[in-house]
Amino acid sequence: MNKTVEKELGINKLRTGFLGYTVEAYRILGFSGKPRILEIGCGDGKSAIELAKISKGEIIGIDIDEVALSVFREKLDENNDKGKIQIIRTTLAHYNPSEKNLDIVWEEGVFHLLDLESSLKKSKELLKPGGFFVSC
């Protein structure tokens, strides 16, 4: 999404306002340990960075918007979170890691844009047994 459209729609402010829900949803999971989390549609990284802070785990953010991902990379440079966060430009359908051992698959407002049935199936395939799927 281009920056002019984002600014006019107030998307940055909207995403920031939702961070409280991100924190609350993670807290409700009651996850202990350092999870491996895939965030689908990570955009400019607001939620992924927050998830990295609160979980102390490994975050893999995927998105197809190169402009947003560039902003995300800049934020990582500033926050030095590169060790905990990996950014990949891809879609959920094309994301094929060598190991399918995620603790959590996380999405915030993206699944309505995707084919729901195939996206849920793919998410389940990526999770460890007993893993969590979170949709906010």
Side-chain angles (χ1 to χ4, degrees), residues 82-102:
K82 281 187 179 174
K84 292 168 53 173
I85 300 175
Q86 180 182 6
I87 301 169
I88 302 170
R89 184 174 187 223
T90 191
T91 64
L92 177 60
H94 292 101
Y95 178 66
N96 289 307
S98 58
E99 295 183 60
K100 296 179 177 168
N101 62 352
L102 296 167

Side-chain angles (χ1 to χ4, degrees), residues 60-106:
I60 303 151
I62 62 171
D63 204 307
I64 59 169
D65 184 346
E66 186 55 46
V67 173
L69 293 177
S70 293
V71 172
F72 192 175
R73 287 185 197 98
E74 288 174 17
K75 288 179 183 179
L76 287 186
D77 288 342
E78 294 168 11
N79 294 311
N80 200 21
D81 287 328
K82 281 187 179 174
K84 292 168 53 173
I85 300 175
Q86 180 182 6
I87 301 169
I88 302 170
R89 184 174 187 223
T90 191
T91 64
L92 177 60
H94 292 101
Y95 178 66
N96 289 307
S98 58
E99 295 183 60
K100 296 179 177 168
N101 62 352
L102 296 167
D103 297 297
I104 302 168
V105 172
W106 193 281

Side-chain angles (χ1 to χ4, degrees), residues 1-13:
M1 184 175 304
N2 78 39
K3 292 185 183 243
T4 304
V5 171
E6 280 190 17
K7 186 175 182 180
E8 287 182 24
L9 293 175
I11 290 174
N12 236 357
K13 185 176 180 182

